[in-house]
């Protein structure tokens, strides 16, 4: 039973069916909790399936049984790296949700806001001229694309064909 489930776990790993591989490796570990191959295979399956903490637990136990195994070391290194990336993503996500926090950031924003306000006060006439020019350009572009019409086209909707959501 042990060798059969161990081999099935390996087959499922090759097929990239991580849940089935972990299940068969777990069956082996129910019978023999210190089976090195089963610990490695379940650890690898859990790692690939995204269960990083459980994977790390299995791989640490396997490493205690065989400290010189390079494959276990490699899997542990990958697991640790993925876990760090996951933690960084979570921190970035929560920092974005809650505004990032920090005392210095608020002061910088205020200074930048003051600079923008000063610029607006210094150049109001230029901005008005630019806006008038932009309005004239926009009207000319609209007239040209619509063939000189007022820019208003009526849209007809067939209510029998309309799809309700």
């Amino acid at each position: 039973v042990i060798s059969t489930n161990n081999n099935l776990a390996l087959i499922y790993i090759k097929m990239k069916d991580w849940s089935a591989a972990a299940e068969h490796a777990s069956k082996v570990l129910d019978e023999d909790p210190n089976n090195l191959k089963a610990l490695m295979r379940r650890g690898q399956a859990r790692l690939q399936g995204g269960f990083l903490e459980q994977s790390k637990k299995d791989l640490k136990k396997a490493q205690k049984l065989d400290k010189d195994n390079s494959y276990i070391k490699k899997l542990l290194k990958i697991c640790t790296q993925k876990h760090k990336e996951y933690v960084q993503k979570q921190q970035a996500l929560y920092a974005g949700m809650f505004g990032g926090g920090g005392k210095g950031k608020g002061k910088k924003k205020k200074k930048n806001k003051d600079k923008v306000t000063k610029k607006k006060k210094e150049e109001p006439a230029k901005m008005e001229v630019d806006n008038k020019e932009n309005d004239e350009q926009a009207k000319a572009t609209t007239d040209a694309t619509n063939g000189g019409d007022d820019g208003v086209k009526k849209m007809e909707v067939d209510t029998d064909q309309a799809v309700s959501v």
Side-chain angles (χ1 to χ4, degrees), residues 52-100:
L52 302 177
E53 290 178 16
Q54 294 173 341
S55 172
K56 194 170 192 175
K57 183 179 173 183
D58 286 340
L59 295 171
K60 289 264 188 191
K61 187 173 181 179
Q63 190 176 38
K64 285 180 184 176
L65 297 172
D66 187 2
K67 295 179 183 177
D68 298 327
N69 191 316
S70 62
Y71 188 67
I72 295 171
K73 289 178 184 177
K74 181 181 176 183
L75 288 174
L76 266 171
K77 187 176 182 178
I78 292 169
C79 185
T80 303
Q81 181 61 35
K82 282 190 173 189
H83 191 265
K84 284 181 184 178
E85 290 171 4
Y86 172 76
V87 169
Q88 288 173 349
K89 284 182 183 177
Q90 291 298 310
Q91 288 175 342
L93 175 71
Y94 290 121
M97 277 186 199
F98 299 113

Side-chain angles (χ1 to χ4, degrees), residues 5-136:
N5 279 314
N6 233 343
N7 290 335
L8 283 170
L10 178 62
I11 290 168
Y12 283 117
I13 285 173
K14 298 258 184 205
M15 293 173 49
K16 298 181 180 180
D17 186 350
W18 311 121
S19 61
E23 180 183 333
H24 285 284
S26 294
K27 288 179 183 178
V28 172
L29 293 169
D30 288 341
E31 298 291 322
D32 181 10
N34 292 326
N35 189 301
L36 182 64
K37 287 182 180 180
L39 284 167
M40 285 189 330
R41 290 175 182 160
R42 187 169 75 174
Q44 181 180 0
R46 287 177 169 178
L47 172 65
Q48 296 296 332
F51 300 99
L52 302 177
E53 290 178 16
Q54 294 173 341
S55 172
K56 194 170 192 175
K57 183 179 173 183
D58 286 340
L59 295 171
K60 289 264 188 191
K61 187 173 181 179
Q63 190 176 38
K64 285 180 184 176
L65 297 172
D66 187 2
K67 295 179 183 177
D68 298 327
N69 191 316
S70 62
Y71 188 67
I72 295 171
K73 289 178 184 177
K74 181 181 176 183
L75 288 174
L76 266 171
K77 187 176 182 178
I78 292 169
C79 185
T80 303
Q81 181 61 35
K82 282 190 173 189
H83 191 265
K84 284 181 184 178
E85 290 171 4
Y86 172 76
V87 169
Q88 288 173 349
K89 284 182 183 177
Q90 291 298 310
Q91 288 175 342
L93 175 71
Y94 290 121
M97 277 186 199
F98 299 113
K103 295 179 182 176
K105 291 184 179 182
K107 291 179 182 178
K108 287 181 182 177
K109 286 182 181 178
K110 188 175 180 182
K111 288 180 183 177
N112 288 340
K113 189 175 179 180
D114 290 342
K115 288 180 184 178
V116 171
T117 307
K118 287 179 184 177
K119 285 184 180 180
K120 284 183 179 178
K121 288 179 182 177
E122 292 172 0
E123 302 179 14
K126 184 177 179 184
M127 289 177 67
E128 289 175 17
V129 171
D130 288 344
N131 286 339
K132 288 179 184 175
E133 289 176 6
N134 287 339
D135 289 343
E136 290 173 7

